[in-house]
Amino acid sequence: MDRNGQTWKILVIDDERDALGFARERLSRSKQPSFDLLSAQSFAAGLARLRDDRYDACLVGHELGPQSGIELIREVEKLGIRVPIVLVIPPESIVPHAAALEVEAMNAGAADCIDAERLEAGLLERSLRYVIERHRAMIALQQSEERLRHEILHDSLTGLPNRTMFLDRLERAMARRGRKPDSLCAVLCIDLDRFKVVNESLGHIVADRLLLAIARRFENCLRVEDTMARFGGDEFAILLDDIRGIQDATRIAERIQQELLRPILLEGEEVFATASIGIAMATPEMIRATDLLRAADTALTRAKGLGKGRYELFAPGMHSQAVQLLRLENDLRRAVEANEFRLMFQPVVALSTGRLLGFEALVRWVHPDRGMVPPNDFLPLAEETGIIVRIGQFVLEEACRRTADWHRRFPLDPKPYVAVNLSAREFGQRGLIPQIQRVLDETGLPPQSLKIEITEGVLQGNAAGIDELLHGMRSLGLGLFIDDFGTGYSSLAALHRYPIDTLKIDRSFVRNMTIEKRGSAIVRTILALAWNLGLEVVAEGVETAEQRMLLSALGCSNAQGYFFSRPLPAEEIEELLLRGGILDGAEDQAA
């Protein structure tokens, strides 16, 4: 038995009939370890036993009939049988050049050699102990190295290849294309849509189970020769090697999206997932694996920007667009630190009198080289990257500070409010209510003079969390507006459930009032809904006297738009306040 009380199993291969007794007699005195000796008396019989069974070590004689023990060792190595072999070498008196024979045996793969003339129990026992323990240590080391290699090259959650292994296989595929130009390959970059919502609502453990389930579904869409990897988070990549053309890649993308139509059951809940996919085919211009991967990632960005839940093929122009987008993002991050943002204020007026009621605070970016950057050029990117949170903090603080200052300096009655837009990303941040309270305390602005504008899309988030936030804002005394009403997904239940004060009619409905009858009908319906729910209404985008007249005839009380005033810098707002805050429309538009 070994040190743990186990018996070491030894196979003795020798064509002499007394070989087993020879070894057993010398090892019988051993107590720790003990040996279980079995024998084979020919080359073929010994090789068969080694193939069919496992042994801790093998003791082999030099001569095995017409073949030798060294030939057996070579055959064992060739077959990949993992067993340490000790070769018994005859003395010099019988076989000349025995020392050279030992060297030959070790080169062939023998674990050790024993001189038969000087063989004794202690020497044989020590040799077997040495080769067995060394062999076990080597096996353990190899297994450890294999585990480490697997961990280095595979994702710990899904067991899929990771980025390192994926790039290695992609490099090989690209190299094959260099040798065989008609060999086509493609890369698909995949990003799960709205995975963060699942993570935050169901928790990391359930989200990990979702990733595992999705990974298995993706694998079901692939061929054996394809490579799928997880890059981390909800990002996956697929290498399609040796395909016929782009149609093979798009077929896989469509199959993946079809797989995601089926719900995944998690914690008793049916969870649906969609994915955005970018596809790139290798071209002669793509020299490195990273070139193809970057192209697929660029196409993925395009797919996400066009509405998600879709796939896009890479086109050469996308790269320059991606570079411009990256530069814009870098400039945007720098702009936050350099304080390059400015606030404009668009007046909200009473339709009947033109009397100022409040302002909507609108952020503008004054780029040092490009000048004024349109909001649509940077706000979606700021939302996607999370920079919107820093920008939103600036807007809230500056809007409240300016408005509180105007309250103190200009004796208007009623005092104008300021409306601040909150994006979905801002709405989901922790500590939002205490942050608003802090700004109100620091600026001295009364809570009722701050209105929070949210889009209908925000109401589609975590219902419990939205409800808590909106009621928390309401408890502070803030007003709550739904911006661009009618363009999103609000329901009557949501309007009943949440403490909304005001609906803002989207400018597209206002514009259509003078173009088609249906436009007026939609505005009339929104106004009737608001009245029945006891809500105020503000019409956005009023640009003509005709629109003002129609809105007044329909019973709309409040409006904002270029007919009354464009968004104004703080200095011009102060001039308006000095004039008493009256905007009659035509005169101010002409001015």
Side-chain angles (χ1 to χ4, degrees):
M1 295 184 180
D2 67 6
R3 292 167 187 174
N4 295 319
Q6 295 178 343
T7 300
W8 284 353
K9 189 176 176 181
I10 311 298
L11 177 65
V12 180
I13 306 175
D14 197 290
D15 62 356
E16 295 183 12
R17 297 189 179 279
D18 61 346
L20 181 60
F22 172 83
R24 181 177 286 114
E25 190 275 326
R26 282 159 178 74
L27 295 173
S28 61
R29 305 183 193 91
S30 177
K31 302 300 182 184
Q32 287 191 349
S34 64
F35 297 93
D36 180 14
L37 272 68
L38 296 96
S39 67
Q41 295 182 345
S42 70
F43 184 101
L47 200 57
R49 277 186 172 272
L50 288 173
R51 279 173 171 165
D52 296 340
D53 205 352
R54 299 185 64 177
Y55 298 90
D56 293 295
C58 181
L59 192 64
V60 178
H62 170 59
E63 294 182 354
L64 300 173
Q67 295 165 297
S68 70
I70 294 179
E71 287 178 287
L72 178 75
I73 293 170
R74 290 196 179 102
E75 189 63 22
V76 167
E77 286 287 310
K78 180 180 176 181
L79 294 173
I81 300 172
R82 303 176 72 175
V83 60
I85 298 178
V86 177
L87 181 68
V88 180
I89 299 176
E92 285 274 354
S93 59
I94 298 176
V95 179
H97 311 297
L101 195 63
E102 181 176 346
V103 172
E104 184 182 0
M106 299 300 287
N107 288 337
D112 198 9
C113 295
I114 299 176
D115 186 336
E117 191 172 60
R118 294 183 293 123
L119 188 63
E120 57 185 39
L123 176 61
L124 180 57
E125 180 183 337
R126 286 196 299 273
S127 177
L128 291 173
R129 183 194 299 275
Y130 164 73
V131 299
I132 291 172
E133 291 184 347
R134 186 181 67 170
H135 181 71
R136 290 182 174 181
M138 289 175 61
I139 294 296
L141 180 60
Q142 289 172 0
Q143 291 174 343
S144 177
E145 289 174 347
E146 288 171 2
R147 284 195 299 271
L148 180 59
R149 178 177 172 79
H150 187 276
E151 291 171 3
I152 291 173
L153 298 177
H154 291 78
D155 171 56
S156 59
L157 174 65
T158 62
L160 293 171
N162 60 15
R163 181 186 292 268
T164 302
M165 188 173 182
F166 184 85
L167 283 172
D168 178 68
R169 292 189 179 178
L170 182 54
E171 288 282 7
R172 296 181 187 181
M174 297 287 279
R176 278 193 297 274
R177 285 197 75 254
R179 299 189 302 269
K180 187 181 176 185
D182 59 342
S183 175
L184 301 178
C185 64
V187 167
L188 281 66
C189 282
I190 307 172
D191 196 34
L192 301 182
D193 303 325
R194 292 174 58 82
F195 180 72
K196 184 180 178 183
V197 175
V198 177
N199 215 349
E200 292 178 347
S201 58
L202 300 181
H204 295 297
I205 295 176
V206 177
D208 284 350
R209 288 174 53 199
L210 175 62
L211 284 172
L212 278 168
I214 288 175
R216 298 294 86 85
R217 289 195 181 184
F218 286 175
E219 286 182 307
N220 291 336
C221 299
L222 304 179
R223 306 168 302 170
V224 174
E225 60 267 36
D226 298 330
T227 298
M228 177 177 168
R230 181 185 177 219
F231 283 2
D234 58 349
E235 299 176 20
F236 296 86
I238 295 172
L239 168 61
L240 304 177
D241 197 7
D242 195 20
I243 59 176
R244 292 167 296 178
I246 191 63
Q247 67 275 7
D248 287 346
T250 56
R251 192 178 298 115
I252 293 294
E254 290 165 359
R255 195 178 299 165
I256 286 173
Q257 291 180 330
Q258 192 68 28
E259 275 289 322
L260 293 178
L261 293 178
R262 295 186 293 113
I264 299 171
L265 190 64
L266 294 174
E267 299 292 309
E269 296 278 346
E270 286 191 342
V271 178
F272 290 86
T274 60
S276 299
I277 305 174
I279 305 173
M281 288 284 295
T283 65
E285 295 77 22
M286 296 177 183
I287 301 173
R288 298 164 300 182
T290 50
D291 295 336
L292 181 55
L293 184 60
R294 183 182 64 184
D297 191 59
T298 300
L300 170 62
T301 301
R302 175 77 170 170
K304 291 164 64 177
L306 290 176
K308 303 180 181 180
R310 57 184 294 150
Y311 67 82
E312 284 293 318
L313 304 177
F314 175 77
M318 287 184 183
H319 178 61
S320 59
Q321 293 174 2
V323 171
Q324 292 174 5
L325 197 63
L326 179 60
R327 288 174 180 166
L328 182 64
E329 181 182 343
N330 292 337
D331 285 353
L332 198 55
R333 294 186 186 280
R334 177 190 48 77
V336 173
E337 303 300 330
N339 193 28
E340 293 174 3
F341 297 100
R342 300 290 182 269
L343 278 195
M344 306 287 276
F345 298 86
Q346 185 169 36
V348 180
V349 302
L351 265 176
S352 58
T353 63
R355 179 170 55 88
L356 179 69
L357 301 175
F359 317 97
E360 181 180 358
L362 302 168
V363 66
R364 298 291 185 265
W365 179 14
V366 185
H367 192 281
D369 299 321
R370 299 171 58 185
M372 191 73 76
V373 181
N376 288 341
D377 284 0
F378 74 89
L379 285 180
L381 180 61
E383 172 77 13
E384 181 181 344
T385 58
I387 302 173
I388 193 69
V389 173
R390 294 279 301 278
I391 296 174
Q393 184 177 346
F394 159 77
V395 171
L396 178 66
E397 293 175 353
E398 181 69 4
C400 290
R401 185 184 67 80
R402 289 280 189 182
T403 306
D405 180 57
W406 293 334
H407 282 191
R408 289 187 289 267
R409 292 168 53 201
F410 302 100
L412 294 184
D413 187 22
K415 294 185 182 300
Y417 67 78
V418 65
V420 172
N421 293 276
L422 283 186
S423 70
R425 183 71 73 103
E426 294 175 89
F427 213 78
Q429 65 177 309
R430 295 176 180 270
L432 181 59
I433 300 297
Q435 177 188 336
I436 295 173
Q437 182 66 68
R438 176 186 60 78
V439 171
L440 293 173
D441 292 341
E442 290 177 355
T443 61
L445 182 69
Q448 62 271 22
S449 295
L450 175 61
K451 314 298 181 182
I452 300 297
E453 292 194 13
I454 59 175
T455 62
E456 293 177 271
V458 170
L459 301 180
Q460 298 302 112
N462 182 344
I466 296 296
D467 188 63
E468 182 180 352
L469 275 172
L470 291 179
H471 281 89
M473 292 178 182
R474 190 65 177 151
S475 67
L476 290 182
L478 311 181
L480 298 174
F481 290 14
I482 292 185
D483 195 15
D484 302 332
F485 184 77
T487 62
Y489 306 95
S490 288
S491 65
L492 292 177
L495 294 180
H496 275 291
R497 175 174 184 173
Y498 301 128
I500 306 299
D501 301 310
T502 303
L503 304 182
K504 299 189 76 173
I505 302 176
D506 185 68
R507 64 185 67 249
S508 63
F509 300 134
V510 173
R511 182 176 59 251
N512 288 337
M513 284 195 310
T514 57
I515 300 175
E516 54 180 347
K517 289 183 179 181
R518 190 170 63 174
S520 294
I522 292 174
V523 172
R524 185 183 295 111
T525 301
I526 294 174
L527 287 168
L529 174 64
W531 293 332
N532 288 329
L533 295 176
L535 305 177
E536 291 289 328
V537 176
V538 175
E540 295 183 287
V542 180
E543 298 181 352
T544 67
E546 185 182 6
Q547 290 171 350
R548 177 184 185 179
M549 180 186 67
L550 284 172
L551 285 167
S552 295
L554 291 173
C556 183
S557 303
N558 312 312
Q560 70 184 85
Y562 275 42
F563 179 77
F564 299 101
S565 174
R566 70 186 189 283
L568 302 172
E571 297 76 16
E572 294 186 39
I573 289 292
E574 292 182 4
E575 293 176 7
L576 170 63
L577 295 173
L578 280 172
R579 299 197 307 267
I582 299 297
L583 292 158
D584 63 9
E587 179 182 339
D588 291 283
Q589 188 182 40

